[in-house]
Amino acid sequence: MQRRQLLLYGAAGAGVLGLTLFVGWWRVDGPGAPEPKGQRPLPLSAMEFRLTDHEENEVGPGNLIGRPTMVFFGFTYCPDVCPTTLSDISGWLEELGDEASEMNVVFITVDPERDTVEAMAEYVGYFHPVIRGWTGPEDQIARAAEGFRASYERVPTEGGDYTMNHTASVFLFDAKGELVTMIDYHEPREFAVPKIRRALTEDVEGAT
């Protein structure tokens, strides 16, 4: 009898612990979590930064207003997330066909020390031709990241080298420069492409 009671108490305790953990997840990381204050990207019209594209043109947020826009932060020495995401983006653009030319698609480096204009030009050349590479001074990269509410940090590695941690989502804006949504890292094409078409559709509806 005593052993049976212990087992029952143990099961009940495990159930309470599981419920507590679930409630904690729901409030902190799950659907019940509060929206992070100030984490929504600013409208493009409210951002202020000046960078240089891979063809040595001076660019900024104003260049992105007027057409739907996708923006992704990364760096050319990135071992997996960046080439994977840019390959995904290239696939989405291929599926859009002629509509792809109606979009701005920008890859902004978080590693301007190594990602020169020449390095960016070579790197984006491996992907869809619509994709543009933007680089510039560290302070301007920081201002761009702040506007998009993207984060990045330099992480030392062995041998005195370093890598970069950074936001891996793709930011999607409509032609007016307002955020439409974000596309998560490795989001399936059947979910990502409709989001992009939504931005294109909002562009058309806004013009009518």
Side-chain angles (χ1 to χ4, degrees):
M1 176 67 73
Q2 187 176 11
R3 182 179 180 184
R4 182 180 179 186
Q5 285 180 329
L6 288 173
L7 290 172
L8 288 173
Y9 291 153
V16 171
L17 178 60
L19 179 61
T20 301
L21 291 174
F22 176 80
V23 171
W25 167 80
W26 183 270
R27 291 177 176 173
V28 176
D29 297 312
E35 183 175 348
K37 186 176 181 180
Q39 292 305 301
R40 182 180 176 84
L42 297 176
L44 294 174
S45 58
M47 298 186 195
E48 294 184 12
F49 60 85
R50 301 306 302 174
L51 297 173
T52 303
D53 72 9
H54 69 272
E55 294 182 337
E56 301 187 349
N57 300 303
E58 185 173 312
V59 290
N63 295 86
L64 304 178
I65 298 174
R67 296 198 295 176
T69 295
M70 279 192 286
V71 173
F72 173 67
F73 285 82
F75 62 115
T76 66
Y77 281 71
C78 182
D80 44 33
V81 173
C82 302
T84 298
T85 299
L86 290 171
S87 293
D88 286 344
I89 292 174
S90 295
W92 304 339
L93 294 171
E94 287 290 344
E95 186 160 332
L96 290 175
D98 292 340
E99 289 182 296
S101 62
E102 300 173 16
M103 298 196 69
N104 299 309
V105 185
V106 177
F107 171 56
I108 301 178
T109 184
V110 295
D111 184 18
E113 181 178 323
R114 295 183 293 194
D115 289 344
T116 62
V117 170
E118 293 77 14
M120 293 294 278
E122 179 180 358
Y123 193 72
V124 297
Y126 294 115
F127 305 101
H128 195 284
V130 167
I131 300 174
R132 314 290 295 175
W134 288 13
T135 187
E138 174 59 40
D139 66 315
Q140 295 299 309
I141 297 292
R143 293 184 69 173
E146 181 181 4
F148 284 96
R149 300 299 189 254
S151 61
Y152 64 96
E153 62 176 342
R154 180 166 169 159
V155 180
T157 59
E158 294 181 1
D161 204 353
Y162 69 93
T163 186
M164 303 293 294
N165 286 343
H166 59 90
T167 297
S169 298
V170 177
F171 300 90
L172 182 61
F173 291 78
D174 64 19
K176 296 178 182 178
E178 298 289 336
L179 181 72
V180 174
T181 189
M182 295 171 68
I183 302 175
D184 294 331
Y185 174 59
H186 259 334
E187 185 161 332
R189 181 180 297 201
E190 57 266 31
F191 297 140
V193 172
K195 288 183 177 181
I196 300 170
R197 291 194 186 281
R198 175 181 159 197
L200 288 163
T201 300
E202 289 186 7
D203 176 31
V204 172
E205 290 177 349
T208 57

